[in-house]
Amino acid sequence: MVRLRRVYDPPEPGADGPGVPPDGVWGRVLVDRLWPRGLAKAEAGVDEWPKDVTPSAELRKWFHAGGSAGEFRRRYEAELAEPVAAAELARLRGLAEAGPVTLLTAVKDPASSHAAVLAELLGG
């Protein structure tokens, strides 16, 4: 199971039942290239930060300059097909198959972001 949450939201203790750590067995995975503004690392509760599966700076700039969501998705999936990103994606897919994982992003609407594309590709 793959969940999406804002990194600014605190972990959810016991969300998956007794004995399961907050936000899943494999924890909280930050999927933004840049560290979230105004958030101390100690407060974030981030367990992993795999930058190889985050959108490139070029793709982010293109999208924020007026790129379409559909074309963003196509370009992002192409980036994720590159060997290093594909290997990291496969590793994360294995974690998600083994137990709940929470993908974190700083965007205001995670369901309409790159994190949603990533969650879908991970089987969420």
Side-chain angles (χ1 to χ4, degrees):
M1 172 163 74
V2 179
R3 287 185 288 225
L4 295 176
R5 297 192 69 212
R6 292 195 73 218
V7 69
Y8 300 105
D9 296 336
E12 291 183 356
D16 295 305
V20 178
D23 285 322
V25 175
W26 303 109
R28 296 164 53 93
V29 179
L30 180 62
V31 293
D32 290 342
R33 177 133 336 229
L34 304 175
W35 187 261
R37 203 173 281 180
L39 184 65
K41 290 185 180 183
E43 294 173 16
V46 170
D47 298 305
E48 291 200 39
W49 188 13
K51 294 180 187 175
D52 291 327
V53 296
T54 64
S56 66
E58 295 80 16
L59 182 56
R60 285 185 303 102
K61 288 176 186 174
W62 171 84
F63 182 69
H64 291 296
S68 71
E71 181 63 13
F72 173 86
R73 181 185 182 101
R74 187 191 71 72
R75 291 181 184 196
Y76 183 40
E77 287 179 352
E79 287 184 357
L80 291 171
E82 293 294 321
V84 173
E88 184 63 18
L89 187 64
R91 186 186 73 79
L92 290 174
R93 190 175 291 119
L95 294 179
E97 289 170 358
V101 172
T102 301
L103 301 182
L104 303 171
T105 181
V107 300
K108 291 182 181 174
D109 183 11
S112 298
S113 72
H114 69 286
V117 174
L118 189 56
E120 186 179 316
L121 294 174
L122 292 174

